[in-house]
Amino acid sequence: MQQDSQTIISETPVKIAENTCYHCGEACPQDTITADEHSFCCDGCYHVYDLLKVTELCDYYAIDGQAGVSPDKSFFAGKFDYLDLPEVSSKILEFTDGHLSQVSWYIPKMHCSSCIWLLEQLYKFNPAIRSSVVNFPEKKVRITFESEKVRPSELATLISGLGYEPYISLNDMTGQQQKKWNRIRLYKIGVAGFCFGNVMMLSFPEYFHLGKDTFDESLRSVFGWLNLALSIPVLLYCASDFFKSAWAALKGKYLNIDAPIVIALLSIFSLSLYQILSATGPGYFDSLTGAVFFMLTGRFFQDKTYAGISFDRDYRSYFPVAVSVLTGKAEIRTPVTDLKAADIILVRNAELIPADSVLLSQEALIDYSFVSGEAEPVRRIKGDTIYAGGKQTGPAIELEIVRKVSQSYLTQLWNNESFSKQKEDQNQMLAARINRYFSVIVLIIALLTFAVWYFILKSPETAFRAFTTCLLVACPCGLLFSSTFTNGNLMALFGKNQCYPKNADAIERLSKIDTVVFDKTGTITRSDDAEVVFVGTKMTDQELAMVKATASQSSHPLSRLVAKSLANVQTGSQKPAHYLEASGSGIRASFGNQTVKLGSAAWAGEQNHREAADNVAYDQHFSRVYVCINDISPGYFLIKVKYRENLHTTIGKLHDHGFNTYLLSGDKPTDQQYLAHLFGSNAHLYFKQKPEDKLAFIATLQEKMHQNVLMVGDGLNDAGALQQSNVGVAVSDDINNFTPSCDMIIEGRQLSRLPAFINLARHGQKIIKASFGISLFYNIGGLFFAIGGQLSPVLAAILMPVSLISIVGFTTIASNVAASRILKN
């Protein structure tokens, strides 16, 4: 590029601060706060340190070093007062007896062992706190406190002051308790395991044919009755899920995988009961209890995986519980469910607007990216309608409610029928399709075997034994395990690589994908990061400090990015004496006798850099912020939001594997030329897409183009499309926060591995089919002996776990090898 000797293109020079914050470890770009020979980047970090020092908890810093969390700067006094309202406290309390109460709060910023240690020491900050227990996988802390001495609002304020502000949303106010199916399943496994172990112990003499005298026979009879007593709770309680599932399938006029299992269990129990009552044998209660125990364990392995991640969220998960309502001169925190038309509310910087409102303040800058996908905040003036779901990005504003939360624009998104349908159809899964026919075949073989032995060969006892062993040895639970353990292990492997499938069905649907649709803002871009390059004459440290101080005064996103790019520039005590922001033009600030302008070329009074800018080897859609100091322009900042790493490679690999790719963006058509190159010659790029447009587009691809669609999005504006798609993937840099209803959550840094995840899902289906072959080998071999009446239920029961162990070993090794090879590349 041609340019004069005074013009440069370079990263803005910075003055790196030598100090790092003793609490959080971040650099201290401003004048540092010093105490006890330690430096702190802000008052918040110093306040936390001082609080820890007073309570003699500075051992916190010896656990993980500088791993503290700086308190949220948006916190204000009275923020959690609404928690003390009776209608709110009754719903957030897990337990109360009038003296002791208990709450369980989600703490998004919890990230390491020092966080756990500190949150479990809350009783040292306030004696009224009896205990605090952390559930790290779910990032929750359960606090037990004396409700007469400390209020919920004081608890929330305390932990917020430590940097761990609890996340409490409108969804927490429904009063619905989480399902306890995991705990019930554990109870059943525990009971089945206890009974199985004791039955095996009591059956030990039978295995080795010990004792033939009268006393031993008496003991054998007692042991048989004890085994019967132990088997009854296993059959009636532990195996109840199998009976319910089989009954539901029969009502649907088909046989599922649980039908032969139920018949086999009933047959084993009936035959064993007959032998005990008639004193003709010990029964096969070890086979019964062992089968139930192993099958429950396998299903729990699948169900438990990533149970702590929330995949089903609606607008209530994102809305705050309360907002500040202005009554006269008073500010009252009020639950958003109690808002009504004509209420005046105060919304601070970064707070979500909970209901459609009219702006009463002079102006506001509203960020709608989470709802509409538009990356650039929009400016609104007094009298404009502000829709729910937007975020205020400047000073506090006043709004007048025009519609309740339940009637707002955002909630209409959930009225679409796509949110009421269920994607998961267990009857269409590979294992279910094969097992459906396999179950019928096994049942027919068992019935024919019974008929031959009973009616033709006239051997009723052999008929019952052959019938039972046929169902046991060819039990489709082997097929169930091949699918369960393969998908379960795949889910664990996905999770290790920061990709979290909702369930096994999501993995199977992922293997069938042929079309991938991307959202833009926040999905393939990093909206909180940008490439900022200064073009022009090198500025002095003092000039850079004035520019940063000026940009820091504005809430405009470009100004914030400029200020962020100058994070290591020390402003010292630089504060503008006069400040003016002109809508749509720029900002101006005075520092003594010096004046700084930031904004458009016309605002800065500089046109000379336009020609130079056109020659810069950057995309034409870079935003430019011009700088003018004392009527002289040293240059301008080129700003562009960054795309995620390896995006070009990701799209290229999808194309190489034959996937169709689309881009649906609620943003304006910026970077269209770059995106067209990125998505290839046959690029399908659609901009200014509303949420309903995205949903309709996905439906069209499915119905008219007969495609299996994977939708990749990040915000509420993508929620309808994510739900409508065959597989909805939510991209998030925090998997536990701000993810819409989806089938899979993937961390933003792992988006480049999307082709590998799809490939791994496809290999998983091949592994399941191969494991079916192993299971079939055992089944055919076992059936050969079972039909001939040469196999006892005990041997059948032994063959079953041997088969299961083989399947588990094969699927675990095969899936690990496949993951290592695919994800490594």
Side-chain angles (χ1 to χ4, degrees), residues 537-556:
T537 305
K538 183 177 180 179
M539 290 185 284
T540 65
D541 290 347
Q542 183 182 2
E543 289 173 336
L544 286 171
M546 290 191 298
V547 169
K548 179 182 178 181
T550 302
S552 299
Q553 302 300 314
S554 174
S555 60
H556 193 279

Side-chain angles (χ1 to χ4, degrees), residues 289-586:
T289 54
V292 174
F293 173 72
F294 283 121
M295 288 186 290
L296 285 176
T297 302
R299 294 194 178 185
F300 177 77
F301 178 82
Q302 176 179 325
D303 294 341
K304 187 179 182 296
T305 309
Y306 309 112
I309 300 176
S310 177
F311 291 88
D312 301 305
R313 298 185 177 184
D314 59 19
Y315 69 95
R316 291 173 301 192
S317 300
Y318 308 94
F319 273 27
V321 175
V323 68
S324 297
V325 175
L326 301 179
T327 304
K329 295 183 179 181
E331 178 183 333
I332 302 174
R333 296 291 285 176
T334 305
V336 295
T337 51
D338 293 343
L339 291 177
K340 55 184 181 297
D343 278 350
I344 307 299
I345 64 173
L346 181 71
V347 177
R348 293 176 171 83
N349 178 56
E351 285 190 336
L352 197 73
I353 298 169
D356 298 346
S357 314
V358 172
L359 181 62
L360 300 181
S361 300
Q362 291 300 317
E363 64 177 8
L365 196 65
I366 308 298
D367 179 2
Y368 277 118
S369 61
F370 202 57
V371 177
S372 68
E374 175 62 55
E376 186 174 346
V378 295
R379 191 171 297 277
R380 290 289 181 257
I381 61 175
K382 186 175 182 178
D384 286 349
T385 298
I386 310 294
Y387 292 101
K391 280 188 176 182
Q392 165 62 0
T393 58
I397 57 174
E398 293 184 11
L399 300 163
E400 181 179 349
I401 303 296
V402 295
R403 279 185 288 272
K404 294 182 178 180
V405 172
S406 59
Q407 300 170 346
S408 294
Y409 160 77
L410 185 61
T411 63
Q412 296 174 12
L413 187 62
W414 269 262
N415 292 332
N416 191 283
E417 62 180 8
S418 66
F419 285 93
S420 60
K421 71 177 185 179
Q422 293 294 326
K423 294 182 185 179
E424 292 83 5
D425 186 355
Q426 300 300 326
N427 298 320
Q428 297 303 316
M429 292 185 67
L430 177 62
R433 294 198 305 271
I434 294 178
N435 286 333
R436 186 184 309 139
Y437 301 109
F438 188 85
S439 299
V440 173
I441 293 172
V442 169
L443 188 58
I444 291 174
I445 291 174
L447 289 172
L448 289 175
T449 301
F450 178 84
V452 169
W453 281 103
Y454 191 89
F455 296 105
I456 298 177
L457 300 178
K458 306 298 183 180
S459 178
E461 184 174 345
T462 304
F464 278 103
R465 183 172 66 250
F467 175 76
T468 302
T469 53
C470 281
L471 290 175
L472 272 179
V473 76
C475 175
C477 61
L479 302 180
L480 168 69
F481 265 48
S482 64
S483 175
T484 298
F485 276 90
T486 300
N487 285 323
N489 197 48
L490 283 177
M491 290 178 72
L493 292 170
F494 272 84
K496 289 179 181 178
N497 291 276
Q498 291 79 52
C499 180
Y500 305 88
K502 181 178 182 179
N503 50 32
D505 184 52
I507 295 179
E508 183 163 326
R509 282 184 279 118
L510 182 65
S511 69
K512 302 175 184 177
I513 292 301
D514 53 33
T515 301
V516 181
V517 179
F518 290 93
D519 171 52
K520 180 189 173 187
T521 306
T523 301
I524 62 175
T525 66
R526 294 183 293 171
S527 56
D528 61 339
D529 197 5
E531 181 182 354
V532 181
V533 178
F534 181 73
V535 179
T537 305
K538 183 177 180 179
M539 290 185 284
T540 65
D541 290 347
Q542 183 182 2
E543 289 173 336
L544 286 171
M546 290 191 298
V547 169
K548 179 182 178 181
T550 302
S552 299
Q553 302 300 314
S554 174
S555 60
H556 193 279
L558 296 182
S559 298
R560 295 201 306 270
L561 289 173
V562 168
K564 185 177 180 180
S565 71
L566 302 174
N568 292 319
V569 174
Q570 295 189 13
T571 60
S573 57
Q574 296 264 20
K575 299 293 181 183
H578 301 284
Y579 176 81
L580 172 67
E581 183 165 356
S583 176
S585 298

Side-chain angles (χ1 to χ4, degrees), residues 200 209 220 261 330 352 492 584 607 615 680 697 777:
M200 288 282 287
H209 306 287
R220 183 175 284 108
I261 293 176
L352 197 73
Q607 302 292 332
N615 294 325
F697 185 87
F777 172 80

Side-chain angles (χ1 to χ4, degrees), residues 179-188 237 300:
K179 296 180 180 179
K180 298 298 183 182
W181 59 265
N182 260 353
R183 187 171 296 176
I184 293 175
R185 181 68 57 84
L186 280 174
Y187 292 157
K188 292 182 178 180
Y237 174 66
F300 177 77

Side-chain angles (χ1 to χ4, degrees), residues 23-92:
H23 178 68
C24 69
E26 298 293 329
C28 299
Q30 307 290 342
D31 289 344
T32 59
I33 300 172
T34 304
D36 298 336
E37 299 182 352
H38 301 308
S39 299
F40 301 92
C41 65
C42 63
D43 289 330
C45 286
Y46 169 70
H47 171 72
V48 177
Y49 167 78
D50 189 51
L51 195 60
L52 293 174
K53 180 182 176 182
V54 170
T55 52
E56 299 182 350
L57 290 175
C58 284
D59 289 343
Y60 167 78
Y61 299 107
I63 301 175
D64 279 336
Q66 297 165 321
V69 180
S70 182
D72 194 337
K73 294 179 176 59
S74 66
F75 179 81
F76 57 92
K79 184 174 184 177
F80 294 106
D81 287 351
Y82 67 91
L83 295 178
D84 300 331
L85 297 174
E87 61 270 27
V88 175
S89 61
S90 63
K91 294 179 179 178
I92 64 169

Side-chain angles (χ1 to χ4, degrees), residues 490-805:
L490 283 177
M491 290 178 72
L493 292 170
F494 272 84
K496 289 179 181 178
N497 291 276
Q498 291 79 52
C499 180
Y500 305 88
K502 181 178 182 179
N503 50 32
D505 184 52
I507 295 179
E508 183 163 326
R509 282 184 279 118
L510 182 65
S511 69
K512 302 175 184 177
I513 292 301
D514 53 33
T515 301
V516 181
V517 179
F518 290 93
D519 171 52
K520 180 189 173 187
T521 306
T523 301
I524 62 175
T525 66
R526 294 183 293 171
S527 56
D528 61 339
D529 197 5
E531 181 182 354
V532 181
V533 178
F534 181 73
V535 179
T537 305
K538 183 177 180 179
M539 290 185 284
T540 65
D541 290 347
Q542 183 182 2
E543 289 173 336
L544 286 171
M546 290 191 298
V547 169
K548 179 182 178 181
T550 302
S552 299
Q553 302 300 314
S554 174
S555 60
H556 193 279
L558 296 182
S559 298
R560 295 201 306 270
L561 289 173
V562 168
K564 185 177 180 180
S565 71
L566 302 174
N568 292 319
V569 174
Q570 295 189 13
T571 60
S573 57
Q574 296 264 20
K575 299 293 181 183
H578 301 284
Y579 176 81
L580 172 67
E581 183 165 356
S583 176
S585 298
I587 53 181
R588 183 178 66 210
S590 298
F591 299 85
N593 59 354
Q594 301 190 73
T595 302
V596 176
K597 292 182 181 179
L598 297 177
S600 65
W603 172 259
E606 178 55 47
Q607 302 292 332
N608 296 334
H609 288 285
R610 283 186 179 276
E611 184 177 352
D614 292 336
N615 294 325
V616 176
Y618 288 93
D619 186 22
Q620 61 178 334
H621 294 292
F622 268 84
S623 298
R624 301 183 182 94
V625 176
Y626 287 84
V627 181
C628 180
I629 301 176
N630 296 329
D631 298 327
I632 298 176
S633 177
Y636 54 86
F637 291 92
L638 282 177
I639 301 174
K640 185 177 182 179
V641 173
K642 292 182 180 179
Y643 287 87
R644 295 192 184 274
E645 293 84 359
N646 302 319
L647 185 60
H648 188 277
T649 304
T650 302
I651 302 297
K653 286 184 177 180
L654 290 173
H655 289 164
D656 292 342
H657 287 83
F659 291 96
N660 303 309
T661 57
Y662 297 83
L663 177 73
L664 297 180
S665 175
D667 206 348
K668 294 179 290 188
T670 55
D671 300 337
Q672 189 165 4
Q673 184 177 352
Y674 169 77
L675 291 170
H677 171 71
L678 186 70
F679 280 83
S681 57
N682 296 321
H684 305 282
L685 310 177
Y686 300 89
F687 296 92
K688 296 184 178 180
Q689 297 290 300
K690 297 179 180 178
E692 55 269 26
D693 297 332
K694 294 183 179 182
L695 191 154
F697 185 87
I698 299 295
T700 300
L701 289 178
Q702 293 171 321
E703 296 172 7
K704 296 183 179 179
M705 306 296 289
H706 305 290
Q707 297 176 354
N708 291 311
V709 182
L710 170 71
M711 175 67 195
V712 188
D714 75 310
L716 286 177
N717 60 302
D718 306 314
L722 290 171
Q723 184 69 16
Q724 177 64 40
S725 63
N726 299 87
V727 178
V729 177
V731 178
S732 176
D733 294 316
D734 181 355
I735 63 168
N736 292 295
N737 201 10
F738 295 113
T739 50
S741 179
C742 60
D743 303 296
M744 190 177 296
I745 300 173
I746 184 171
E747 287 195 0
R749 294 171 298 175
Q750 300 298 326
L751 182 60
S752 61
R753 285 185 165 184
L754 183 61
F757 289 134
I758 299 175
N759 194 16
L760 181 57
R762 290 179 171 180
H763 273 74
Q765 298 306 299
K766 295 178 182 178
I767 293 171
I768 291 175
K769 292 176 182 177
S771 62
F772 280 170
I774 296 175
S775 179
L776 195 61
F777 172 80
Y778 278 99
N779 290 336
I780 293 175
L783 276 174
F784 177 79
F785 293 99
I787 292 173
Q790 303 172 20
L791 191 68
S792 70
V794 172
L795 287 177
I798 292 174
L799 278 178
M800 184 181 67
V802 169
S803 172
L804 296 182
I805 292 172

